[in-house]
């Protein structure tokens, strides 16, 4: 195929050079910016003609390849289209001449005292396939608007001769005509030429991705609403056609992974977006069976040409001007949304397979995680995305709270909003009769901070019919550079340290309602947040254990894409007419190579030598809303990409101090001795924060139509859990808020985490190999009410489903394992909880509370970690219920360790995280980390881990007789113990958490006995209330009439 570069140089002049008029500037953003800043280059790739005896050049078709900066695109143009372009330019010239003459007449009339002139010449709004843009001009705009007709005549002049001669002469004529445009910036930036070249304000913005198909189409799903300036504005309508039969002409911009609709190609104002949803292809192996994103539509009127584009649960009808254009659009959309299946059927691919900048860092408990989040927000320059199950504006991200008033969440967000940072907060709208998190109060507080803070609550229960499920994912994303996910909500009660204190009197760390114990009381109002809910001199707070993580690079942007998908779905359903709430679009790098597979995009990296490669990239949006924009002028936000090396973008690091041993130098888990030697100071919180590590990461989630607008549920978290468990070689460690799971034939509980564990343990037993499963969960559900109280039906219901999964009935994993393995079952799997103690104030009563395990963590073989928001229950794992987010982190760097005494290369991330957690739970000092290096050897698993749990449990039972414990197996026994404690002490907590100073009858000192505990680990009471056959709500309790799926 022959190609010929056009002679597009700045020296090419015409006898009527077209100047760029004020019309272009008026319709461009950023105060008169133009689409082309420099001349594009092009070449004629081929010239073809139809198979006919007619050799007229009008029938020739030209394949043009154009390049502007790093962008390449191809066009197919016919000679007739060039002729139409010429007529359009002439038409505009004539109109401008009339306008200019009209101005002279108006000035003459003005001099005579006549101040207006009726019947002015206007532009034809019915110009075919043209944007019908309003005309603006200057006095001298007509002088150089003439385009020589002789250049166009050479294209259409009849030619006699062989077909080859027609092609050659047509090529030469086309080259000469196009040189008029490509050789001069004034011409190439005219509206007519930009339309002919299919370019717009979004075409050449690097952050929006490669140049793909663009052009005018008509749509029916947009409705018109009046703007603040008296003009009109189009908004997406939920119900197609519900606002009449009017079709609106829009400029469609196709980019990799999405389709954007603009008012016109020159102002960049977005009307709607369609982000292509990969789930439509799930489960189809043969590419020929895969559903298509775009399909042509047969119209009743043969003169109409339409096609449908489908994304998730949305299908939008488009019309264009010819059957040929329909085919072009259908092909282009399918290419832009091409899909390759991902592991676990996730929407996101594994990242970090190459050096793409994928990094991860772990945090244990709220202390370090909150400080890291605060630091990231402080350094935000562009955008912040926040979503969670519960959000408290008055949360202090650093303690003591008196010393850090500027780091209260609402104050911090206000500071950033005033600096121009755009903040989007997506909150879960609770069913108020069931939950007391008062999201409406939080929404009002947050949206009143600043106009740059946008808040949505979802779902709207009445319109969606969603009453049972919740948005449970917890996400903070800053500038698309770093994100935080895990079990930690930005709300009260979550801040904690490794010490897990139970008291704070007078308030120093936990102010007001942040001194939180949901077992004792849930506040009825969150408006007086600095007023105590609990009497600090009588009741302990409930310590809170979390695992959170930070991600950089492509995994961060995958999380951002998930947020954008959820935000847009919530916006369309909850606030479709609220112009102050914009639609968002994922940055271009969120969908590549997700949708394009290995196909390269047409963006050519053009690194500027003068730029510092180590300088952090700051993403900005020229088209984003600003503080000077009226609410209805808030634009949709666009996908962006930067071609910077993302390995340089992890500039927000949260490492603190050293991991040097307190009692002698020792390397931190996952570090070499050389790395330890580089540390300069002792880190007080050595066990709570990991190193920022290069890892392989894959984002997994649970979403469905109601939560994210997908066309079918995604349960990639469930699939990841089951797959990783089945393929574990030596060891599984789980921390989770719940353990409610079913075996193979369980028709009630549908997730199969238990089944995967059961099969893997049986395999190890058959192969006679050492294999351990350690599970840490809360001792009791974190809901209000004593177990035997009338108002505690939720607590009992959750206990029922949890014990049903763990140790009771023929549905539990321990029942089946014990039937096969007998006492050896505990060699393979065991369950634990966490507990803490202390004085409520100086010389105050001794109290204890469970440490509420809220982390959602899976560690496999010290090489793979799964961190996220998902509980082990059907609500979180099935995909069709609660929305969740998580990440599979696989190590790329390894440290020498052992498994059952055999050398084993453990991953630095997973190994250090597990050792940190075990050090906290077992009360180890840094110098004792080597004691837990091998997690499955008998010396660690039995002699240290199990022995510590049993010793601590015995001491707590002796000092407190606290609930739950193995000695209480019936309601009668429970009532007896509660009555006995109240008689002896006069006051106790709901779970018998107050101890006497001296134990009777032995007279032992309670405080001295508690000092013999080490760490926080205790045994999970498998036989607690085991004589009660059914703990589910009775018919006299309101929870009896709630769907049982709510509890599991």
């Amino acid at each position: 195929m022959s190609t010929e570069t056009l002679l597009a140089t700045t020296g090419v002049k015409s006898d009527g050079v077209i100047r760029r008029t004020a019309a272009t500037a008026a319709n461009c953003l950023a105060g008169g910016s133009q689409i082309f800043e420099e001349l594009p280059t092009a070449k004629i790739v081929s010239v073809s003609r139809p198979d006919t005896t007619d050799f007229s050049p009008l029938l020739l078709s030209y394949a043009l390849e154009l390049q502007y900066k790093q962008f390449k695109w191809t066009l197919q143009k016919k000679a007739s289209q060039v002729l139409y372009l010429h007529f359009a330019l002439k038409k505009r010239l004539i109109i401008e001449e009339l306008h200019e003459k009209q101005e002279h007449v108006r000035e003459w009339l003005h001099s005579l005292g006549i101040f207006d002139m009726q019947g002015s010449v206007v532009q034809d709004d019915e110009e075919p396939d043209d944007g019908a843009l309003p005309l603006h001009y200057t006095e001298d705009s007509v002088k150089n608007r003439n385009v020589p007709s002789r250049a166009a005549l050479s294209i259409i002049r009849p030619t006699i001769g062989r077909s080859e001669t027609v092609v050659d002469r047509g090529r030469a004529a086309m080259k000469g005509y196009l040189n008029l445009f490509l050789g001069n910036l004034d011409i190439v930036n005219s509206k007519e030429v930009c339309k002919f070249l299919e370019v717009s304000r979004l075409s050449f913005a690097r952050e929006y991705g490669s140049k793909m198909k663009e052009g005018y189409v008509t749509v029916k799903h947009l409705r018109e609403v009046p703007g603040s300036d008296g003009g009109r504005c189009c908004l997406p309508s939920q119900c197609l056609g519900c606002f009449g039969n009017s079709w609106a002409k829009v400029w469609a911009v196709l980019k990799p992974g999405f389709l954007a609709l603009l008012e016109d190609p020159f102002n960049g104002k977005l009307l709607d977006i369609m982000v292509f949803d990969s789930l439509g292809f799930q489960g189809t192996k043969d590419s020929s069976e895969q559903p298509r994103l775009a399909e042509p539509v047969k119209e009743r009127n043969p003169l109409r040409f339409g096609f449908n584009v489908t994304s998730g649960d949305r299908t939008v009808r488009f019309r264009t001007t010819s059957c040929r254009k329909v085919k072009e659009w259908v092909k282009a959309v399918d290419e832009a949304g091409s899909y390759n299946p991902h592991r676990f059927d996730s929407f996101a691919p594994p990242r970090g397979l190459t050096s793409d900048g994928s990094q991860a860092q772990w945090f244990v408990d709220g202390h370090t995680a909150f400080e890291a989040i605060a630091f990231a927000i402080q350094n935000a320059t562009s955008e912040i995305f926040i979503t969670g199950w519960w959000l408290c504006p008055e949360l202090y991200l650093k303690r003591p709270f008196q010393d850090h008033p500027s780091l209260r969440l609402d104050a911090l967000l206000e500071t950033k909003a005033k600096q121009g940072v755009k903040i989007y907060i997506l909150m879960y709208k609770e069913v108020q009769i069931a939950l007391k998190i008062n999201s409406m109060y939080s929404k009002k507080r947050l949206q009143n901070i600043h106009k740059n803070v946008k808040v949505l609550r979802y779902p709207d229960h009445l319109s969606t019919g969603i009453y049972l499920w919740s948005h449970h994912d917890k996400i903070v994303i800053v500038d698309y550079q770093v994100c935080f996910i895990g079990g930690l909500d930005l709300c009260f009660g979550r801040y904690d340290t490794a010490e897990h204190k139970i008291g704070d009197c007078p308030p120093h760390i936990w102010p007001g309602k942040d001194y939180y114990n949901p077992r004792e009381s849930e506040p009825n109002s969150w408006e007086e947040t600095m007023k105590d809910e609990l009497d600090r001199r009588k009741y302990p707070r409930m310590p809170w254990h979390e695992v959170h993580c930070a991600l950089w690079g492509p995994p961060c942007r995958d999380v951002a894409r998930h947020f954008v998908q959820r935000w847009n779905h919530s916006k369309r359903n909850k606030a479709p007419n609220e112009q102050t709430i914009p639609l968002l679009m994922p940055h271009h790098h969120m969908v590549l190579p997700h949708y394009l597979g290995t196909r390269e995009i047409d963006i050519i990296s053009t690194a500027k030598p003068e730029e510092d490669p180590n300088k952090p990239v700051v993403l900005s949006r020229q088209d984003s809303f600003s503080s000077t924009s009226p609410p209805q002028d808030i634009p949709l936000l666009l996908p962006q990409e930067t071609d910077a090396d993302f390995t340089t973008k992890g500039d927000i690091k949260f490492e603190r101090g050293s991991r040097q041993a307190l009692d002698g130098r020792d390397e931190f888990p996952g570090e070499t001795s050389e790395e330890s030697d580089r540390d300069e100071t002792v880190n007080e919180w050595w066990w709570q924060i990991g190193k920022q590590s290069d890892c392989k990461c894959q984002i997994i989630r649970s979403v469905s139509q109601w939560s994210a607008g997908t066309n079918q549920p995604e349960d990639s978290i469930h699939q990841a859990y089951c797959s990783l468990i089945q393929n574990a070689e030596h060891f599984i460690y789980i921390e989770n808020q719940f353990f409610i799971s079913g075996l193979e034939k369980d028709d009630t509980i549908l997730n199969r985490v238990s089944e995967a564990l059961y099969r893997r343990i049986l395999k190890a037993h058959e192969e006679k190999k050492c294999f351990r499963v350690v599970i840490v969960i809360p001792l009791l559900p974190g809901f209000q009410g004593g177990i035997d109280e009338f108002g505690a039906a939720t607590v009992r219901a959750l206990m029922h489903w949890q014990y049903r999964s763990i140790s009771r009935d023929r549905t539990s994993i321990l029942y089946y394992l014990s039937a096969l393995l007998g006492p050896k079952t505990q060699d393979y799997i065991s369950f634990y909880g966490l507990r803490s103690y202390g004085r409520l104030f100086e010389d105050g009563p001794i109290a204890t509370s469970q440490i509420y395990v809220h982390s959602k963590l899976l560690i496999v073989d010290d090489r793979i970690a799964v961190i996220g928001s998902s509980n082990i229950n059907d609500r979180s794992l099935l995909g069709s219920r609660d929305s969740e987010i998580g990440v599979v982190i696989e190590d790329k760097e390894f440290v020498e360790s052992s498994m059952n005494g055999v050398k084993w290369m453990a991953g630095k991330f997973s190994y250090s995280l597990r050792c940190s957690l075990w050090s906290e739970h077992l009360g180890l000092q840094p110098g004792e980390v080597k004691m837990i290096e091998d997690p499955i050897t008998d010396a660690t698993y039995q002699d240290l881990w199990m022995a510590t749990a049993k010793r601590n449990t015995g001491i707590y039972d002796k000092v407190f007789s606290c609930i739950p414990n193995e000695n209480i197996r019936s309601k009668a026994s429970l009532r007896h113990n509660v009555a006995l404690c109240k008689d002896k002490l006069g006051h106790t907590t709901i779970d018998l958490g107050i101890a006497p100073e001296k134990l009777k009858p032995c007279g032992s000192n309670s405080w001295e006995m508690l000092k013999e505990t080490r760490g926080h680990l205790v045994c999970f009471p498998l036989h607690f209330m085991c004589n009660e056959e059914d703990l589910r709500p009775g018919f006299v309790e309101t929870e009896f009439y709630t769907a049982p799926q709510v509890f599991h």
Side-chain angles (χ1 to χ4, degrees):
M1 179 182 296
S2 63
T3 61
E4 183 175 356
T5 304
L6 298 178
L7 303 176
T9 65
T10 55
V12 176
K13 301 290 182 181
S14 69
D15 56 350
V17 177
I18 302 176
R19 278 190 68 191
R20 184 176 65 252
T21 66
T24 303
N27 288 293
C28 291
L29 293 177
S33 61
Q34 56 190 14
I35 291 180
F36 290 98
E37 297 176 353
E38 60 186 54
L39 291 173
T41 61
K43 56 186 177 183
I44 299 177
V45 177
S46 64
V47 182
S48 59
R49 64 178 182 83
D51 187 14
T52 176
T53 57
D54 190 342
F55 293 144
S56 171
L58 278 175
L59 300 179
L60 294 179
S61 179
Y62 299 86
L64 309 177
E65 182 179 280
L66 295 98
Q67 181 169 338
Y68 175 68
K69 295 183 178 180
Q70 68 267 43
F71 295 87
K72 286 184 178 180
W73 73 104
T74 59
L75 297 174
Q76 290 285 340
K77 294 294 182 181
K78 292 184 178 180
S80 57
Q81 291 175 288
V82 179
L83 183 61
Y84 175 78
L85 169 64
H86 184 75
F87 289 156
L89 290 170
K90 286 292 186 181
K91 174 184 176 181
R92 185 59 58 94
L93 178 63
I94 293 171
I95 293 175
E96 288 183 355
E97 289 176 344
L98 291 175
H99 272 282
E100 188 172 5
K101 293 177 180 178
Q102 187 173 290
E103 276 297 310
H104 292 309
V105 173
R106 184 178 287 111
E107 291 176 1
W108 175 67
L109 292 174
H110 187 274
S111 66
L112 297 177
I114 302 174
F115 297 100
D116 196 8
M117 175 178 167
Q118 301 295 326
S120 60
V121 179
V122 296
Q123 182 186 4
D124 182 8
D125 285 340
E126 299 301 323
E127 182 176 353
D129 202 25
D130 194 30
L133 299 178
L135 181 66
H136 302 269
Y137 63 93
T138 59
E139 184 176 351
D140 61 347
S141 65
V142 184
K143 296 180 180 179
N144 297 305
R145 299 287 293 182
N146 184 38
V147 181
S149 296
R150 62 178 179 271
L153 289 176
S154 63
I155 297 177
I156 63 174
R157 184 182 298 117
T159 301
I160 301 176
R162 295 178 304 171
S163 60
E164 292 82 0
T165 304
V166 174
V167 170
D168 292 341
R169 293 186 180 182
R171 182 195 303 273
M174 179 63 71
K175 180 181 68 174
Y177 191 75
L178 293 182
N179 277 338
L180 289 174
F181 314 136
L182 302 178
N184 187 281
L185 273 177
D186 294 320
I187 301 176
V188 85
N189 276 297
S190 66
K191 181 177 75 70
E192 293 81 6
V193 174
C194 287
K195 174 178 168 291
F196 176 82
L197 297 179
E198 298 181 8
V199 297
S200 68
R201 290 277 300 143
L202 306 184
S203 299
F204 307 125
R206 278 175 48 196
E207 63 269 27
Y208 301 150
S210 58
K211 173 77 173 71
M212 303 186 76
K213 185 168 181 58
E214 300 184 35
Y216 279 110
V217 295
T218 56
V219 294
K220 194 177 181 180
H221 73 291
L222 300 177
R223 72 182 186 91
E224 295 181 5
V225 296
S228 62
D229 57 356
R232 66 178 190 174
C233 173
C234 290
L235 291 176
S237 166
Q238 277 299 104
C239 303
L240 303 186
C242 65
F243 292 99
N245 297 319
S246 59
W247 288 78
K249 182 182 290 185
V250 296
W251 183 267
V253 181
L254 184 64
K255 293 286 185 177
F258 72 94
L259 178 64
L261 304 182
L262 280 63
E263 279 193 345
D264 62 69
F266 286 90
N267 67 11
K269 182 176 181 180
L270 287 158
L271 303 177
D272 197 11
I273 59 172
M274 297 188 73
V275 179
F276 301 134
D277 182 15
S278 63
L279 287 180
F281 303 97
Q282 182 174 313
T284 57
K285 303 293 184 180
D286 187 359
S287 59
S288 63
E289 298 178 1
Q290 293 181 349
R292 302 177 64 183
L293 293 174
E295 291 184 332
V297 175
K298 187 176 182 180
E299 299 273 3
R300 293 182 179 180
N301 188 334
L303 298 180
R304 291 175 178 170
F305 309 93
F307 61 97
N308 287 342
V309 177
T310 299
S311 173
D313 62 343
R314 299 180 68 210
T315 297
V316 175
R317 172 74 60 85
F318 295 85
R319 280 180 182 170
T320 186
T321 56
S322 69
C323 182
R324 175 183 61 83
K325 289 188 176 181
V326 167
K327 293 179 181 179
E328 290 176 355
W329 274 109
V330 168
K331 180 181 178 182
V333 169
D334 283 337
E335 288 179 353
S338 60
Y339 170 76
N340 291 322
H342 302 312
R343 184 178 60 164
F344 310 131
D345 285 334
S346 171
F347 79 108
R351 306 291 192 175
L353 302 180
T354 60
S355 298
D356 61 1
S358 297
Q359 293 184 315
Q361 183 174 22
W362 54 258
F363 306 94
V364 175
D365 298 323
H367 165 65
T368 53
F370 278 164
E371 285 197 21
I373 292 171
F375 179 77
I377 293 176
Q378 281 180 307
N379 287 275
T381 60
S382 177
E383 290 161 325
I384 299 170
F385 296 161
I386 299 174
T387 188
W389 181 79
W390 184 19
L391 192 147
C392 298
E394 297 88 352
L395 174 72
Y396 287 89
L397 295 177
K398 195 170 183 177
R399 316 293 168 98
F401 62 89
Q402 301 97 328
D403 299 340
H404 304 284
S406 63
L407 293 184
R408 202 171 85 164
L409 183 59
D410 52 359
L412 186 57
L413 294 180
E414 181 179 9
T415 299
K416 301 312 295 184
K418 289 179 178 178
Q419 294 173 3
V421 176
K422 287 75 180 177
I423 301 169
Y424 304 89
I425 302 174
L426 184 55
M427 305 178 66
Y428 165 56
K429 182 179 179 182
E430 78 282 9
V431 179
Q432 294 183 357
I433 195 173
L435 292 172
K436 300 178 181 180
I437 58 178
N438 203 347
S439 62
M440 176 56 76
Y441 165 77
S442 298
K443 176 184 177 180
K444 290 179 179 178
R445 282 296 304 266
L446 290 167
Q447 67 184 8
N448 289 334
I449 288 176
H450 192 272
K451 62 180 68 176
N452 280 353
V453 179
K454 303 298 177 184
V455 186
L456 270 176
R457 289 196 312 153
Y458 190 76
D460 191 357
H461 305 291
L462 185 61
S463 63
T464 63
I466 301 299
Y467 294 92
L468 306 182
W469 318 130
S470 68
H471 284 301
H472 197 246
D473 34 351
K474 302 97 167 55
I475 300 171
V476 176
I477 305 165
V478 177
D479 290 344
Y480 295 89
Q481 293 189 24
V482 60
C483 75
F484 301 86
I485 63 173
L488 196 62
D489 279 298
L490 298 179
C491 65
F492 292 147
R494 272 49 169 179
Y495 182 93
D496 215 335
T497 67
E499 191 176 355
H500 293 301
K501 293 182 178 180
I502 57 125
D504 184 35
C505 183
H508 181 62
I509 304 297
W510 294 277
K513 291 180 172 57
D514 204 4
Y515 189 87
Y516 179 70
N517 189 333
R519 292 285 302 125
E520 295 290 345
S521 176
E522 283 279 7
N524 290 315
S525 172
W526 292 101
E527 298 188 10
E528 297 179 321
T529 55
M530 294 299 106
K531 181 179 179 181
D532 284 355
E533 176 71 20
L534 294 173
D535 186 341
R536 296 173 185 252
R537 303 180 67 87
K538 290 185 177 181
Y539 299 101
R541 62 176 292 271
M542 188 165 73
W544 206 271
H545 175 65
E546 290 282 10
V547 174
H548 219 62
C549 73
L551 302 173
W552 288 264
C556 170
R557 296 186 287 277
D558 288 335
V559 175
R561 183 186 185 279
H562 165 79
F563 177 91
V564 168
Q565 187 175 13
R566 270 201 53 205
W567 175 277
N568 287 347
H569 180 67
S570 302
K571 152 72 177 174
R572 288 192 176 97
N573 285 274
K574 180 68 186 296
N577 304 327
E578 253 187 84
Q579 299 179 56
T580 56
I581 302 296
L583 286 168
L584 301 176
M585 294 195 68
H587 286 201
H588 175 56
H589 46 233
M590 298 179 196
V591 294
L592 288 175
H594 179 154
Y595 287 104
L596 297 186
T598 59
R599 182 165 70 87
E600 295 182 0
I601 61 176
D602 292 330
I603 300 180
I604 304 173
S605 298
T606 55
K608 298 180 180 179
E610 67 272 16
E611 291 182 352
D612 182 2
N614 295 319
K615 183 178 180 181
V617 176
V618 179
L619 301 179
S620 63
R621 285 181 175 162
Q622 295 178 355
D623 297 330
S624 300
F625 68 85
S626 65
S627 58
T628 59
S629 302
Q632 61 273 14
D633 290 337
I634 294 176
L636 309 185
L637 304 183
L638 291 175
Q640 296 187 5
E641 154 132 335
T642 167
D643 64 355
D645 182 359
F646 288 115
T647 60
T648 68
K649 293 180 65 174
D651 57 325
I652 303 178
K653 297 185 179 181
F654 313 111
E655 296 178 36
R656 299 182 50 185
S658 169
R659 295 167 180 81
Q660 230 175 304
L662 296 175
D663 54 351
R665 186 173 296 277
D666 190 7
E667 60 266 20
F668 184 71
E671 287 185 345
T672 64
S673 58
E674 290 79 11
E675 289 172 326
S676 297
D677 291 340
R678 288 196 295 268
D679 293 333
E680 298 177 355
T681 57
V682 175
N683 180 5
E684 180 184 0
W685 304 104
W686 70 275
W687 56 77
Q688 286 196 285
I689 185 168
K691 293 178 69 68
Q692 187 173 341
S693 306
D694 292 331
C695 298
K696 293 183 285 186
C697 304
Q698 184 180 10
I699 303 302
I700 50 179
R701 63 179 183 172
S702 294
V703 293
S704 61
Q705 191 282 327
W706 84 263
S707 58
T710 60
N711 59 0
Q712 60 181 313
E714 178 182 333
D715 64 342
S716 52
I717 298 178
H718 183 214
Q719 293 192 42
Y721 261 75
C722 293
S723 175
L724 294 173
I725 290 171
Q726 291 168 0
N727 292 286
E729 295 186 47
H730 302 285
F731 169 70
I732 293 170
Y733 178 65
I734 293 173
E735 288 186 2
N736 207 279
Q737 184 182 359
F738 296 104
F739 188 89
I740 301 176
S741 184
L743 298 172
E744 183 179 16
K745 296 182 180 180
D746 194 333
D747 295 329
T748 303
I749 307 297
L750 302 179
N751 81 81
R752 292 295 176 256
V753 173
S754 274
E755 178 67 18
L757 290 170
Y758 174 74
R759 289 182 177 274
R760 184 60 191 89
I761 291 171
L762 285 187
K763 179 182 177 183
H765 177 68
E766 292 169 359
E767 296 176 348
K768 294 182 171 53
K769 291 183 178 180
C770 181
F771 187 84
R772 315 283 194 190
V773 179
V774 177
I775 301 175
V776 179
I777 57 177
L779 296 171
L780 283 173
F783 292 85
Q784 183 177 348
I787 294 172
D788 194 39
E789 293 180 1
F790 178 78
T794 297
V795 176
R796 293 192 297 273
L798 291 171
M799 288 174 57
H800 165 81
W801 292 108
Q802 192 141 279
Y803 278 114
R804 179 186 183 274
S805 301
I806 296 173
S807 58
R808 295 176 194 170
D809 301 332
R810 295 177 178 269
T811 55
S812 67
I813 184 173
L814 293 185
Y815 174 87
Y816 277 95
L817 287 175
S818 298
L820 292 173
L821 309 180
K824 290 185 177 181
T825 298
Q826 67 175 357
D827 292 338
Y828 292 98
I829 184 171
S830 50
F831 291 81
Y832 303 89
L834 302 175
R835 184 173 285 279
S836 184
Y837 75 93
R839 291 191 181 274
L840 295 180
F841 54 92
E842 188 175 357
D843 298 327
I846 303 171
T848 185
S849 172
Q850 70 160 327
I851 299 172
Y852 197 66
V853 180
H854 196 257
S855 47
K856 296 90 168 56
L857 170 70
L858 169 69
I859 295 177
V860 177
D861 294 332
D862 280 351
R863 288 182 174 177
I864 301 174
V866 180
I867 300 174
S869 65
S870 175
N871 295 316
I872 297 179
N873 57 17
D874 281 0
R875 289 186 64 111
S876 290
L877 295 178
L878 296 188
S880 58
R881 300 183 181 181
D882 292 357
S883 63
E884 308 282 1
I885 194 77
V887 58
V888 179
I889 302 173
E890 300 177 70
D891 277 287
K892 296 169 68 174
E893 300 175 351
F894 298 90
V895 61
E896 187 173 324
S897 179
S898 61
M899 285 286 178
N900 200 27
V902 180
K903 179 181 176 181
W904 179 256
M905 299 306 294
K908 283 188 175 182
F909 182 95
S910 302
Y911 175 67
S912 63
L913 173 56
R914 197 264 304 168
C915 286
S916 297
L917 290 166
W918 282 29
S919 296
E920 177 183 323
H921 299 341
L922 294 169
L924 303 182
Q925 296 299 313
E928 299 175 309
V929 171
K930 286 189 177 294
M931 297 172 62
I932 54 174
E933 181 179 78
D934 187 331
I936 67 173
T937 186
D938 287 346
T940 304
Y941 179 70
Q942 294 182 356
D943 300 341
L944 179 60
W945 181 269
M946 295 183 72
T948 299
K950 290 178 181 179
R951 182 175 63 254
N952 290 347
T953 302
I955 294 173
Y956 279 116
D957 287 348
K958 188 172 184 180
V959 173
F960 292 98
S961 297
C962 48
I963 297 173
N965 69 63
E966 294 278 16
N967 300 319
I968 299 177
R969 303 194 175 190
S970 65
K971 289 183 179 180
S973 177
L974 175 66
R975 292 165 185 163
H976 173 76
N977 274 45
V978 171
L980 189 63
C981 286
K982 288 183 176 180
D983 288 341
K984 289 193 300 182
L985 299 172
H987 163 74
T988 188
T989 66
I990 205 164
D991 294 325
L992 310 184
I994 302 295
E997 291 291 333
K998 298 287 185 180
L999 298 178
K1000 296 180 180 179
C1002 63
S1004 300
N1005 184 287
S1006 298
W1007 188 256
E1008 293 300 320
M1009 287 192 65
L1010 289 170
K1011 286 183 178 180
E1012 297 178 9
T1013 62
R1014 191 169 188 184
H1016 305 114
L1017 190 69
V1018 294
C1019 297
F1020 184 81
L1022 296 175
H1023 298 98
F1024 176 63
M1025 302 292 287
C1026 63
N1027 293 341
E1028 299 297 326
E1029 294 183 358
D1030 197 341
L1031 293 172
R1032 284 177 290 185
F1035 72 93
V1036 296
E1037 297 173 298
T1038 57
E1039 288 82 356
F1040 176 83
Y1041 303 97
T1042 302
Q1045 292 88 343
V1046 170
F1047 303 109
H1048 61 75

